[in-house]
């Protein structure tokens, strides 16, 4: 069946579905459902321009959460360029009709990235699609949720997972199917894949019945999840996909990212993609980003109550809507120029040919509410660095070619397009993309300087300059960037001595310092008299003062928000309360530690 024929087939299917169930739901109520809720949200279809973006990380909500909660500065590695771009609609103006599944709209403007004098031009390659979006989203889906129920998921993380699962079920339609695999110390099919229609009450009871159990054996969970999905493929009515809910902190089995990537890649090639939903204060963004950026993968993070409901009401059928695989985009600069930077994909997805052509490979492209793309900078070719900028005279600064696998038909497709020459007024969303690249580069450099113990005043000046540039640009949708950057700037000002008052968001850092243990309960490796230090750089240091282990020092890392301290590498998530010179730590399993601030703190 050809692509155009399949498009007509899908369009007919969507029309029939609309007649049967009242159309495709565009939103759902965020209130918690009753177990007998059978609402399939009979909204009306609104046809809009098809937006697509690359797979991988779709947001930096975890980074924002950590940055705006208790930590002075998160590690630079927890920030991703593709996640930052994914939170904004960066749709660029079309330069031609897109009559195939994957197209590129290419624009250019003068580069203005501080600290990068080698850049002369900034190029945006926006993604478009000729797919019938509503018809494709109308195809039935079989979802298998793979749920981490290890000890570190207790409390808020598991609550967010259950909220997310209920929201998924609330937004699924007649004809869709749903199942649950749970893993901890053991792995079981908690709910066999079943029709959503007529079974919502049973599904919600199964969600309610998920309980904490043991360690994070993620490899086993994914293997059983894929086995369940492959069996479902034999009779599936449409798309089949895994949805992994986890704090992404595996500690048993094969914990190497490559092990998970192998499972995800093989699953995608057999027709089952992987969406990762990250939760929890100790979410491992590096590992999740690596897993989710493979073929067929994407990643979202939910932090606070209501996040999951909003996410699935808006993006559920987008996050399962793969339109292209193995997308290769090649950028061939004009004579006298070279590619000086590429932004929007991890560095390991790029190669350079002898003639200077840069090729970027994207595992998958998905339907999305936010238009995606990649961005590049051009500078003078080698040997021309000290000559004036070449006048292109209206010639395209680069040629772009694309090749991909059509996710609908499986056919190999290709296309090419010239980058639009510089216009008098660059597209507003191209300006926004450059500002986000500026934000990512500046934040990454500032965080790296901070964590290496570098010049605190330099960190402040970098963040202050970025804050001013964002505010002066006045770009649409940048309020949260202002909040993020000014929050980090105020912390830098405090550390550099430019401000004597601890920012309000940093009140949790009252836990930082040296403490002497007064009393413990439910803890075997800590006793009264031991010393505990929580450093502002996220180190949790324990010094034993008596018994066989006297003098022993134990170094661990911790993360903190306004309520809890998580000891990395363990299942310990402790609520804390600081009152004067004392701090009390507790968890739900009976652990309780009373500490007194050390005189040397």
């Amino acid at each position: 069946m050809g692509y155009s024929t399949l498009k007509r087939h899908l369009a007919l299917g969507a029309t029939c579905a609309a007649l049967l169930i009242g159309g495709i739901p565009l939103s759902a109520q965020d209130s918690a459902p009753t177990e007998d809720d059978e609402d399939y949200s009979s909204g009306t279809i609104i046809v809009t321009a098809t937006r697509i973006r690359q797979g991988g990380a779709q947001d930096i909500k975890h980074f924002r959460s950590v940055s705006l909660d208790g930590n002075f500065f998160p590690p630079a590695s927890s920030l991703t360029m593709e996640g930052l771009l994914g939170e904004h609609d960066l749709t660029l103006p079309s330069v031609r009709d897109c009559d195939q599944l994957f197209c590129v709209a290419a624009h250019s403007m003068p580069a203005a990235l501080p600290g990068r004098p080698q850049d002369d031009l900034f190029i945006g390659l926006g993604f478009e699609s000729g797919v019938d979006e509503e018809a494709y989203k109308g195809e039935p889906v079989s979802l298998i949720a793979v749920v981490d129920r290890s000890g570190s998921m207790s409390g808020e993380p598991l609550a967010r997972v259950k909220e997310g699962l209920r929201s998924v079920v609330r937004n699924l339609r007649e004809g869709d199917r749903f199942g649950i695999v749970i893993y901890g110390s053991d792995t079981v099919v908690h709910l066999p894949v079943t029709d959503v229609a007529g079974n919502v009450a049973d599904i919600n009871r199964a969600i309610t019945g998920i309980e904490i159990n043991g360690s994070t054996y993620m490899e086993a969970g994914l293997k059983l999840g894929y086995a369940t999905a492959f069996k479902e493929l034999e009779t599936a009515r449409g798309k089949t996909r895994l949805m992994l809910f986890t704090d992404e902190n595996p500690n048993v089995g094969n914990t190497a990212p490559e092990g998970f990537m192998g499972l995800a890649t093989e699953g995608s090639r057999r027709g089952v993609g992987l969406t990762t939903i990250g939760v929890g204060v100790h979410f491992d963004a590096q590992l999740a980003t690596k897993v989710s950026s493979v073929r067929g993968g994407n990643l979202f993070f939910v932090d606070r109550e209501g996040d999951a409901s909003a996410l699935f009401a808006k993006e559920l059928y987008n996050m399962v809507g793969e339109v292209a695989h193995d997308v290769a985009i090649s950028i061939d600069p004009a004579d006298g120029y070279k590619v000086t930077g590429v932004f929007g994909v991890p560095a390991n997805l790029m190669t350079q040919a002898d003639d200077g052509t840069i090729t970027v490979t994207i595992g998958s492209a998905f339907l999305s509410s936010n238009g995606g793309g990649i961005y590049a900078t051009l500078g003078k070719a080698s040997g021309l660095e000290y000559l004036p900028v070449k006048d292109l005279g209206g010639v395209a600064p680069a040629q772009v070619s694309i090749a991909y696998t059509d996710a609908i038909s499986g056919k190999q497709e290709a296309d090419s397009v010239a980058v639009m020459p510089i216009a008098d007024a660059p597209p507003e969303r191209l300006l926004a993309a450059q500002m986000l690249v500026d934000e990512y580069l500046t934040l990454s450099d500032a965080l790296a300087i901070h964590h290496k113990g570098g010049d605190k005043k330099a960190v402040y000046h970098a963040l202050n300059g970025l804050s001013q540039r964002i505010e002066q640009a006045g770009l649409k949708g940048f309020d949260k960037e202002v909040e993020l950057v000014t929050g980090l700037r105020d912390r830098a000002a405090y550390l550099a001595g430019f401000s004597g008052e601890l920012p309000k968001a940093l009140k949790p850092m009252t836990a930082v310092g040296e403490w002497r243990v007064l009393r413990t309960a439910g803890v075997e490796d800590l006793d009264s008299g031991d010393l505990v230090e929580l450093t502002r750089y996220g180190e949790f240091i324990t010094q034993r003062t008596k018994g066989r282990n006297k003098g022993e020092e134990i170094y661990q890392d911790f993360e903190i928000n306004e309520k809890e301290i998580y000891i990395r590498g363990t299942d310990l998530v402790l609520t804390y309360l600081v009152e004067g010179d004392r701090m009390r730590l507790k968890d739900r399993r009976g652990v309780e530690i009373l500490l007194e601030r050390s005189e040397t703190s």
Side-chain angles (χ1 to χ4, degrees):
M1 182 183 294
Y3 176 61
S4 59
T5 305
L6 182 59
K7 278 187 66 178
R8 289 194 297 272
H9 175 74
L10 287 174
L12 177 61
T15 302
C16 294
L19 292 172
L20 287 171
I21 62 173
I24 298 170
L26 299 178
S27 63
Q29 295 182 8
D30 292 339
S31 58
T34 65
E35 291 194 337
D36 296 318
D37 186 359
E38 295 278 357
D39 179 20
Y40 289 98
S41 303
S42 56
T44 56
I45 298 175
I46 300 175
V47 178
T48 58
T50 301
R51 294 180 173 89
I52 61 174
R53 63 167 287 103
Q54 59 267 50
Q58 303 298 302
D59 60 58
I60 59 165
K61 287 184 179 179
H62 178 256
F63 179 83
R64 293 186 195 277
S65 173
V66 175
S67 298
L68 298 176
D69 282 334
N71 287 321
F72 265 94
F73 292 108
S77 58
S78 63
L79 173 66
T80 65
M81 171 75 79
E82 54 270 29
L84 176 59
L85 295 170
E87 292 192 7
H88 294 260
D89 183 9
L90 299 175
T91 303
L92 294 175
S94 297
V95 297
R96 56 179 179 162
D97 289 337
C98 182
D99 57 1
Q100 61 182 47
L101 184 128
F102 190 88
C103 303
V104 170
H107 295 264
S108 66
M109 69 180 191
L113 293 171
R116 290 183 58 88
Q118 69 273 34
D119 300 334
D120 292 319
L121 298 176
F122 186 81
I123 290 176
L125 307 178
F127 298 159
E128 300 177 331
S129 178
V131 71
D132 186 331
E133 178 181 359
E134 296 303 334
Y136 190 47
K137 287 162 67 173
E139 189 179 10
V141 61
S142 293
L143 275 182
I144 293 90
V146 179
V147 178
D148 180 352
R149 58 167 180 161
S150 62
S152 59
M153 292 284 291
S154 62
E156 280 294 305
L158 187 59
R160 297 289 72 76
V161 169
K162 290 185 177 182
E163 175 194 345
L165 293 172
R166 293 188 181 105
S167 180
V168 168
V169 174
R170 188 160 64 249
N171 284 279
L172 288 172
R173 305 170 302 221
E174 188 164 354
D176 292 340
R177 288 165 59 78
F178 186 72
I180 303 174
V181 169
I182 56 177
Y183 69 92
S185 293
D186 56 2
T187 303
V188 297
V189 176
H190 183 66
L191 175 73
V193 184
T194 186
D195 290 338
V196 173
N199 295 297
V200 171
D202 291 338
I203 293 172
N204 279 324
R205 276 192 288 270
I207 293 170
T208 300
I210 299 174
E211 297 180 347
I212 296 299
N213 171 266
S215 302
T216 309
Y217 199 172
M218 182 184 293
E219 184 182 22
L222 283 177
K223 284 182 176 179
L224 182 56
Y226 277 115
T228 305
F230 295 150
K231 183 177 180 181
E232 175 69 9
L233 276 177
E234 298 172 4
T235 57
R237 302 163 184 148
K239 299 182 283 284
T240 299
R241 190 166 190 83
L242 284 194
M243 189 168 285
L244 172 66
F245 291 81
T246 182
D247 59 6
E248 206 67 31
N249 188 36
N251 52 31
V252 295
N254 182 358
T255 61
E258 290 74 15
F260 307 135
M261 291 180 72
L263 288 170
T265 301
E266 175 63 17
S268 174
R269 297 201 180 280
R270 292 180 62 177
V272 179
L274 174 65
T275 293
T276 302
I277 307 296
V279 297
V281 66
H282 46 284
F283 174 70
D284 190 334
Q286 293 183 66
L287 178 59
T289 297
K290 208 170 183 184
V291 172
S292 70
S293 63
V294 299
R295 190 182 194 272
N298 50 17
L299 163 69
F300 300 82
F301 180 76
V302 293
D303 174 34
R304 304 182 190 280
E305 184 176 358
D307 278 1
S309 295
L311 172 65
F312 291 117
K314 183 179 182 182
E315 298 290 350
L316 176 59
Y317 288 95
N318 286 332
M319 65 177 65
V320 302
E322 300 170 60
V323 295
H325 293 306
D326 307 321
V327 182
I329 303 174
S330 297
I331 306 170
D332 183 12
D335 290 343
Y337 283 89
K338 65 180 179 181
V339 178
T340 52
V342 178
F343 312 98
V345 293
N348 64 330
L349 300 182
M350 293 182 278
T351 59
Q352 182 173 7
D354 293 339
D355 64 357
T357 299
I358 299 293
T359 298
V360 177
T361 303
I362 297 170
S364 298
F366 292 78
L367 297 173
S368 176
S369 295
N370 289 335
I374 63 171
Y375 305 89
T377 50
L378 301 185
K380 285 174 277 189
S382 300
L384 304 177
E385 291 88 352
Y386 301 104
L387 296 177
V389 175
K390 181 179 179 180
D391 183 3
L392 292 171
V395 175
Q399 295 288 327
V400 178
S401 60
I402 57 175
Y404 60 90
T405 300
D406 186 322
I408 298 174
S409 68
K411 292 174 58 178
Q412 304 293 312
E413 302 283 355
D415 195 17
S416 61
V417 64
V419 176
M420 292 285 288
I422 295 174
D424 293 337
E428 192 269 350
R429 290 292 86 186
L430 188 60
L431 292 168
Q434 181 173 244
M435 180 58 69
L436 292 170
V437 171
D438 181 5
E439 178 181 347
Y440 171 81
L441 295 174
T442 304
L443 287 179
S444 296
D445 288 345
L447 294 173
I449 293 171
H450 168 79
H451 285 291
K452 291 177 181 177
D455 187 341
K456 295 180 176 61
K457 290 182 172 60
V459 173
Y460 166 76
H461 288 303
L463 295 174
N464 187 50
L466 174 61
S467 175
Q468 292 177 2
R469 292 194 296 275
I470 291 177
E471 290 186 357
Q472 291 168 3
L475 292 162
K476 181 179 67 176
F478 269 67
D479 290 349
K480 57 187 176 183
E481 309 310 335
V482 171
E483 178 187 20
L484 173 64
V485 174
T486 55
L488 292 174
R489 179 202 62 191
D490 292 346
R491 298 174 190 204
Y494 175 77
L495 291 175
F498 294 135
S499 171
E501 182 179 355
L502 188 69
K504 182 179 180 181
L506 289 184
K507 298 303 182 184
M509 295 304 286
T510 53
V512 167
E514 297 178 5
W515 303 85
R516 182 178 299 277
V517 177
L518 295 179
R519 186 173 66 249
T520 69
V523 182
E524 296 181 358
D525 55 355
L526 197 65
D527 205 350
S528 60
D530 289 346
L531 300 177
V532 172
E533 181 182 3
L534 283 72
T535 75
R536 65 177 55 183
Y537 302 109
E539 298 171 307
F540 192 99
I541 306 170
T542 303
Q543 182 178 349
R544 309 303 300 274
T545 61
K546 61 180 67 172
R548 291 183 306 171
N549 298 318
K550 183 178 180 180
E552 178 185 6
E553 289 189 347
I554 303 169
Y555 288 81
Q556 297 169 290
D557 295 326
F558 75 94
E559 295 182 23
I560 187 170
N561 62 19
E562 70 276 11
K563 297 178 181 178
E564 298 173 323
I565 296 173
Y566 165 66
I567 312 300
R568 291 185 66 89
T570 75
D571 289 338
L572 228 62
V573 180
L574 302 163
T575 60
Y576 69 95
L577 176 65
V578 178
E579 293 181 324
D581 62 351
R582 295 201 173 186
M583 177 167 65
R584 188 181 303 274
L585 306 175
K586 301 174 66 174
D587 82 350
R588 297 189 177 191
R589 296 174 295 182
V591 172
E592 184 169 353
I593 306 169
L594 180 64
L595 306 104
E596 182 177 44
R597 195 176 293 275
S598 170
E599 294 179 0
T600 62
S601 179

